[in-house]
Amino acid sequence: MALALLLPLATACGDEDPIKPGPVGPQADAGGQDASTSTPDASCAGATCDAGTIFVPPDAGPADGGATDGGATDGGDSDGGAPDAGPDVLLPLPVDLSAPSELLVRSDDSAVLRVGVERHEGFTGPVTLAVRGLPSEVFVADRTVSADTNAAALVVSVSGRVGPGTRLDATLVATAEGRSTSRPLRMLVAGPSFALDPTFPVVPLGWTDASRFVGVQPDGKLLTAHAIASGSFPRGDGFVLERHHADGVPDLTFGMLGTVTHPRPAVARLLAFKSLPTGGSLVAGTAADCHDYENAPPCTLLVSRLLASGMLDTSFGDEGVASARFNVNPRSNVKLLADEAGRVSLVLSYYDAAQGGEDVYAAQRWEADGRPVAGFGTEGRVTFALPASEQRFDQLNEAIQRKDGGIVIAVTLFDSSDSGRHGLGFVGMNGATGATSWSVDTTYSLHRGVIADGRGHFVSLVSKSAPNYDLIVHRYDESGSRVSTGSAYPMPPRLLAVGSASELFFDDAGTPYTVGQVDGGGGMAVVRFTRQGVVDLGFGTNGFVRLDSRLTSVSGFIREPNGCLLARTYPEPGLVRFWP
């Protein structure tokens, strides 16, 4: 089961009321930075680092019941002197503490709480860390951090008597030289690996519509986007945003009772959605003129940038909307990218009859204010026609924006001929000029799905060739070069039915998992991979963990700031949460 340490008002895995197991009420809006891409180190791993300082007076002693020391009144005469200021009040300890927003610990188990310790105002001495306010069933030993270190690890142990779903509030305290500073922490005891969170959703969300996009904001709230239903295709009526608390309850402070409707731009169909670290979001969609995939009519794509309030960010493009025209409708996955400078990129592929019927991969990039980026291709657009030698069945799977501004697109290649020359190709685009490059890793193994791991790597789920069709994982760096594990490993047995697994997802440590049907029947199961890329046979029972028998379809995993996992299911309930 697991235990979650939350920063001020950060999101718990499920509902928010502390202490007692079972469903609880919704949490408050936390704000803070996006933890979904953070690494599990001693820094502020996905937590809000500026939660403020709370002074805890040392040895304050018992209160006096609120009575004041009146003493003798000297006949009612005042002594005319200055009032007694009392003892000197110590300033807070000049130390900033950072910690993960939550820590999941399973019942009758332990987990490591990593704490960052940043000294300032000239303070350089050792600091003692402690967690206060926990019941006796949870134990955390105090830890002294020497003067020359800025990080520590506290082991949190929880008794098996604490049941899944129990929520606990505590305080992380740092003391030194008679002074203290502290920050709130929230903890959650979780259920078995990949068990459904029974507290989510409080009400059925019904998110079975495949055209609905789901994202997680930095504070853990859930944001969904879908096009407005139109009675006459291909007319575009705009799109709708809806926001829910982490427990699935509508956030009534968002827009009109949890909903914001945007009749402008006139979006007919949504293509992509991306949550931003600011709490805002990006929405990409097609205009009404995009309804043909092969005959190359004009096609307008619209990208809207929205504030955390759900309103259009009017500092971007034309009152919050930027547009780009392509020869034809996008035919596969569409990706949205955003960098620290605020530049926005739309990455897509399409079939272009005007270029000899070749498959074209393209990126349109805008500045933070919505102007096309000068020097990047032509008016901020770069296109790359797939070489004739690679004219196999291809599909855009993933895109990464590198730190130098370059864009790399991962393209899966499937050869339906007897030769079986499958592969994984990479389109590179120079960040300054847009100059393109192409590389391909051709194998006889099929790349079923590719995803970015949040650490600058592409990770591909590979199905080996007949007769076993075993599943393994390949890693590629941000340029598309294969990352070698440097060691030999035995081929694992096949645990999942052939073709039933096609996507990867990750836990906080970056460990890859996939999900599919158990080979030979028996429902769905999750499989974990080792650093060498093979199935981890030490995971669960014989290498996999079975999912709830009521689930017949699970896809689209999203990792929340607290480490929990959201996934789409069909049919109802449409969206579920797992304890990883």
Side-chain angles (χ1 to χ4, degrees), residues 61-69:
D64 61 7
T68 57
D69 184 8

Short mmCIF file of all heavy atoms in Angstrom, two decimals, residues 61-69:
data_model
loop_
_atom_site.label_atom_id
_atom_site.label_comp_id
_atom_site.label_asym_id
_atom_site.label_seq_id
_atom_site.Cartn_x
_atom_site.Cartn_y
_atom_site.Cartn_z
N GLY A 61 6.96 25.55 25.81
CA GLY A 61 6.37 25.28 27.10
C GLY A 61 4.86 25.34 27.07
O GLY A 61 4.27 25.76 26.10
N PRO A 62 4.23 24.91 28.15
CA PRO A 62 2.77 24.89 28.16
C PRO A 62 2.19 26.29 28.19
O PRO A 62 2.79 27.22 28.68
CB PRO A 62 2.44 24.10 29.43
CG PRO A 62 3.63 24.32 30.32
CD PRO A 62 4.81 24.40 29.40
N ALA A 63 0.98 26.40 27.63
CA ALA A 63 0.31 27.68 27.67
C ALA A 63 -0.18 27.97 29.08
O ALA A 63 -0.37 27.08 29.89
CB ALA A 63 -0.85 27.67 26.69
N ASP A 64 -0.40 29.25 29.37
CA ASP A 64 -0.83 29.61 30.72
C ASP A 64 -2.34 29.75 30.81
O ASP A 64 -2.86 30.38 31.71
CB ASP A 64 -0.13 30.90 31.19
CG ASP A 64 -0.45 32.10 30.30
OD1 ASP A 64 -1.32 31.95 29.39
OD2 ASP A 64 0.15 33.16 30.51
N GLY A 65 -3.04 29.19 29.88
CA GLY A 65 -4.48 29.22 29.95
C GLY A 65 -5.08 30.50 29.44
O GLY A 65 -6.26 30.72 29.53
N GLY A 66 -4.24 31.38 28.96
CA GLY A 66 -4.75 32.61 28.37
C GLY A 66 -4.84 33.74 29.37
O GLY A 66 -5.15 34.87 29.03
N ALA A 67 -4.52 33.51 30.66
CA ALA A 67 -4.60 34.57 31.65
C ALA A 67 -3.43 35.50 31.50
O ALA A 67 -2.33 35.11 31.18
CB ALA A 67 -4.63 33.97 33.05
N THR A 68 -3.64 36.75 31.76
CA THR A 68 -2.55 37.74 31.74
C THR A 68 -2.11 38.02 33.15
O THR A 68 -2.87 37.91 34.11
CB THR A 68 -3.00 39.02 31.06
OG1 THR A 68 -4.14 39.52 31.75
CG2 THR A 68 -3.38 38.77 29.61
N ASP A 69 -0.84 38.39 33.27
CA ASP A 69 -0.27 38.67 34.58
C ASP A 69 -0.58 40.12 34.94
O ASP A 69 0.15 41.03 34.59
CB ASP A 69 1.24 38.41 34.56
CG ASP A 69 1.86 38.59 35.93
OD1 ASP A 69 1.09 38.77 36.90
OD2 ASP A 69 3.07 38.56 36.02
#
